[in-house]
Amino acid sequence: MFWKVLQFVLRIINAQIVVLNILHRGAAHGTPSELTANGAGIFLDEYSKAIDKGAPRWGVPIIDVRGESGLYPVAPEALSYFTSENDYLHLSALGHEKLWKYMQNKLMNLPV
């Protein structure tokens, strides 16, 4: 469904469209981490791979927040970017700043 909407938007809007793949997530407040499949048996990584595969089909650039942002809740050196030791899903102010700087750089360097 997403790709049908994107196809429609690309036909009617004269603007740059960019897709972000899915940021890594850890467990938070009783919700599972990305290492747990959803009710349909699909892991978060599979959704991210679908985005990575589908966007080029429509000529839409991808900003790889999953693979390049440095925000990986399992890595001890990245924990300061998340809100607490018990919440590896929500970004702290420092995490938002890191994500913004990464995205700003990527957005400024998109081909025209």
Side-chain angles (χ1 to χ4, degrees):
M1 183 63 171
F2 171 79
W3 299 115
K4 293 214 180 275
V5 171
L6 180 59
Q7 182 181 22
F8 173 74
V9 169
L10 287 170
R11 279 187 292 187
I12 63 167
I13 295 178
N14 185 21
Q16 176 70 56
I17 296 175
V18 177
V19 174
L20 305 177
N21 60 8
I22 303 166
L23 193 61
H24 284 286
R25 65 167 289 153
H29 309 291
T31 62
S33 75
E34 66 184 61
L35 303 177
T36 303
N38 64 15
I42 301 171
F43 289 88
L44 195 62
D45 196 49
E46 294 175 64
Y47 287 104
S48 187
K49 286 177 183 174
I51 292 168
D52 293 345
K53 183 179 177 185
R57 175 180 173 190
W58 299 107
V60 177
I62 301 169
I63 296 180
D64 187 9
V65 296
R66 186 172 187 81
E68 296 179 348
S69 69
L71 295 168
Y72 186 58
V74 178
E77 57 273 8
L79 295 182
S80 63
Y81 298 120
F82 296 87
T83 56
S84 73
E85 292 180 11
N86 298 319
D87 185 345
Y88 303 114
L89 169 61
H90 301 99
L91 296 175
S92 64
L94 186 62
H96 282 285
E97 183 178 349
K98 182 175 179 66
L99 181 60
W100 167 244
K101 286 179 181 177
Y102 167 76
M103 289 179 53
Q104 183 181 33
N105 180 45
K106 290 294 187 176
L107 289 168
M108 296 300 290
N109 290 299
L110 285 174
V112 179

